[in-house]
Every structure is written in structure tokens, then in C-alpha cells.
Amino acid sequence: MKKPVLETWLERGLFASRWLMAPFYVGLVVALAALMVVFFQELFQELPRVPSMTPESAILMALTLIDLSLAANLMVIVILSGYENFVSKIDTASHEDRPDWMGTVDFSGLKMKLIASIVAISAIALLKAFLKLTEPGQTVDQVRLFWLVMVHLSFVVSGVLLAVMDWLNAKVSKH
């Protein structure tokens, strides 16, 4: 039986609406470029201080750069996986630099990568706060430290719960 014309056009329109997501991914590419600018600003700001840095200061500098790098990695994963999952396949299958995970990260995998990156970024923020306590003359607001710990723990618990939900979902037979 043939579908009504209105239903066919509606379905085509709904399917085409996925392209409305493309500008979001382009915007994330712009945000990625902004992160790169901030990364190099931070690097060039800290380089002159390297000869006089304490080990704790050097670690703080490295953690800041790692934090920015993790955020950038997360954005690349979201941009590429999101585009491939929700808009269109990216035709780079034969390119030698194509990451192995491209085309294989579904929404569930993207969600787990996202929460794992957020937990790592949160852990770095917490570690930076603790390291500031070791520097002479540095103090950290106890309330701020408490909330950093609580937010980090909430991310960890959320990640564990999401992993458990995915595991349970995989155990349930598909209909």
C-alpha cells in the first residue's frame, strides 16, 4: 500500500531537519579554536616563569594545559560523533589519520566518553585546588574546596549510574 503524499513529505521534512544540527557542530569548531587560543595564551604566559617555578607551580601549569587539552579532546569527540550520529556520515574511511573510534561511537558511547571526560576535568580542578594548598602563602576557601569535592563526587556517581544503566540496557532483550 502506498503512503499518502502528505505523510511522505512530512517524513522527508523530518529527516532533512537533522541538518539543523550542522550549525551547532560548526559552532563547536569555533569554540575549539577559542580553546586553542586560550591554551597558547596560558602556555606563553607561564613559559617565562619556568626557571623560577616550584615543582607545585610546574604541576599546576601542566594540569591547566592538560585540562584544556581534555576539554578540546572532548569537543572533537562530540563534534565528530555527534555529526555522524545525528546528521550524516563523514566520508573519510580511507584516510590514514581517521581515528579508530570514528563511526563506532553511538549515543551511549558518546555519553560515556562525555561523562568520563567531565570526571577527569573535575578531578584536575580538584587537584589544582589541593596543590594550591601546598604553595607557601596560598589559601583555598574551605567552602569552595568542599563544593569542588561534592561536584566531583556527583560527576563520579553520575558516571557510575550511567554505566550501570547502559549495562542493564544491554542485558535487556531488544524488542
Side-chain angles (χ1 to χ4, degrees), residues 6-26:
L6 181 61
E7 183 179 355
T8 301
W9 279 101
L10 175 65
E11 289 173 358
R12 286 181 183 166
L14 290 173
F15 185 67
S17 71
R18 73 193 189 284
W19 285 98
L20 293 173
M21 289 299 299
F24 288 89
Y25 298 115
V26 172

Side-chain angles (χ1 to χ4, degrees), residues 27-156:
L28 287 176
V29 171
V30 172
L32 180 62
L35 266 180
M36 183 183 68
V37 169
V38 171
F39 178 91
F40 283 107
Q41 284 175 337
E42 184 69 27
L43 179 64
F44 294 137
Q45 178 182 336
E46 293 295 324
L47 281 178
R49 299 181 196 158
V50 169
S52 62
M53 278 186 175
T54 64
E56 290 82 10
S57 296
I59 292 170
L60 282 171
M61 178 195 68
L63 287 175
T64 299
L65 296 176
I66 290 168
D67 202 16
L68 290 167
S69 175
L70 282 173
N73 289 339
L74 174 61
M75 290 183 72
V76 168
I77 291 170
V78 169
I79 291 165
L80 296 177
S81 295
Y83 185 87
E84 280 207 330
N85 280 312
F86 300 112
V87 180
S88 181
K89 296 295 178 203
I90 298 174
D91 187 21
T92 59
S94 62
H95 196 280
E96 64 186 40
D97 289 335
R98 180 182 170 93
D100 290 336
W101 55 264
M102 256 183 83
T104 63
V105 178
D106 59 1
F107 183 68
S108 178
L110 180 59
K111 180 177 56 178
M112 292 312 299
K113 287 182 183 308
L114 179 68
I115 194 69
S117 295
I118 290 170
V119 167
I121 291 167
S122 171
I124 289 172
L126 188 56
L127 183 56
K128 284 167 58 175
F130 280 122
L131 281 173
K132 282 185 181 179
L133 288 173
T134 65
E135 289 190 352
Q138 290 288 330
T139 60
V140 174
D141 179 15
Q142 296 298 318
V143 173
R144 181 177 184 277
L145 196 57
F146 170 80
W147 284 110
L148 282 172
V149 170
M150 296 312 302
V151 167
H152 179 69
L153 288 175
S154 70
F155 287 146
V156 169

